[in-house]
Amino acid sequence: NAGVTQTPKFRILKIGQSMTLQCTQDMNHNYMYWYRQDPGMGLKLIYYSVGAGITDKGEVPNGYNVSRSTTEDFPLRLELAAPSQTSVYFCASSYAGTPKFGQGTRLTVV
Amino acid sequence: QQPVQSPQAVILREGEDAVINCSSSKALYSVHWYRQKHGEAPVFLMILLKGGEQKGHEKISASFNEKKQQSSLYLTASQLSYSGTYFCGTENDAGNMLTFGGGTRLMVKP
């Protein structure tokens, strides 16, 4: 099924560890996004990309990095994980239209 | 800057109506409406573009008043399946960054 695939679905990290959240889409969408959603809250944009090789900061980029070497993949890197990064992370993609979301990665930093 | 949604929460009986508002301090170019069930990804409902148009999805419709920089979502004769959190998203003028409001939690009771 065409869509946005995120891995892993769940992860527990210790403070100071690093990890990469993977996101891939098979719809040939040019736009891709990373959002975080804290419990009971709205979606905050972390980073977005309008095409391969082009990325830009969203509302809450600190503590994260991204890259976009291909149209399909948009990984999100967490360096030096902190408890404040405990959240559900959603990747989304669109073709100059309405983003379609992946199922999310639930990350807990302890 | 993220849009502001009101109310924050609504409790309805089946068959009742509700209105959710979304307003922005910046000029609006489009408004996206999503619904999110607990533990799931947001699901697209509809998009409204400049021009004061109205759209519908099932018994859910929306309006967009670009002069007032606001959009409203109308839920008519609510069903149990309407329960969830509703988010509005607004695009920047370049059309490449979608920012979401804090959400409106809707609960429909039998």
Side-chain angles (χ1 to χ4, degrees), chain B residues 31-67:
Chain B
V31 179
H32 305 232
W33 284 98
Y34 283 79
R35 177 171 61 207
Q36 184 180 32
K37 302 276 186 179
H38 183 69
E40 298 180 6
V43 173
F44 170 72
L45 291 176
M46 64 190 78
I47 180 174
L48 297 103
L49 305 175
K50 283 175 76 169
E53 65 174 298
Q54 285 196 288
K55 277 203 161 185
H57 171 82
E58 300 170 348
K59 288 183 181 174
I60 301 173
S61 62
S63 64
F64 178 23
N65 188 322
E66 58 194 269
K67 262 190 179 179

Side-chain angles (χ1 to χ4, degrees), chain A residues 32-110:
Chain A
M32 294 189 76
Y33 312 83
W34 274 106
Y35 290 89
R36 60 174 287 173
Q37 185 175 35
D38 297 336
M41 305 294 283
L43 297 147
K44 296 283 191 183
L45 182 63
I46 306 171
Y47 271 94
Y48 66 99
S49 168
V50 301
I54 306 169
T55 62
D56 210 344
K57 295 178 181 179
E59 304 166 272
V60 290
N62 291 345
Y64 306 94
N65 276 301
V66 293
S67 59
R68 183 100 182 267
S69 55
T70 66
T71 300
E72 295 77 22
D73 301 306
F74 191 39
L76 178 73
R77 178 85 178 158
L78 279 76
E79 307 279 3
L80 299 174
S84 60
Q85 292 178 305
T86 293
S87 192
V88 178
Y89 291 83
F90 287 102
C91 178
S93 73
S94 73
Y95 181 72
T98 299
K100 180 171 183 179
F101 284 82
Q103 288 305 302
T105 294
R106 189 174 298 269
L107 176 69
T108 304
V109 182
V110 297

Side-chain angles (χ1 to χ4, degrees), chain B residues 58-104:
Chain B
E58 300 170 348
K59 288 183 181 174
I60 301 173
S61 62
S63 64
F64 178 23
N65 188 322
E66 58 194 269
K67 262 190 179 179
K68 291 185 179 180
Q69 294 171 192
Q70 67 182 39
S71 175
S72 295
L73 188 72
Y74 306 94
L75 296 100
T76 307
S78 58
Q79 305 167 16
L80 294 176
S81 61
Y82 287 2
S83 292
T85 302
Y86 290 78
F87 293 99
C88 69
T90 57
E91 284 183 300
N92 61 350
D93 52 1
N96 55 13
M97 192 167 114
L98 189 61
T99 307
F100 286 92
T104 296

Side-chain angles (χ1 to χ4, degrees), chain B residues 5-47:
Chain B
Q5 288 184 235
S6 63
Q8 288 188 316
V10 183
I11 301 176
L12 297 173
R13 292 280 178 198
E14 249 184 315
E16 292 182 340
D17 302 339
V19 180
I20 299 171
N21 298 304
C22 174
S23 62
S24 174
S25 57
K26 291 186 171 183
L28 289 178
Y29 298 90
S30 69
V31 179
H32 305 232
W33 284 98
Y34 283 79
R35 177 171 61 207
Q36 184 180 32
K37 302 276 186 179
H38 183 69
E40 298 180 6
V43 173
F44 170 72
L45 291 176
M46 64 190 78
I47 180 174

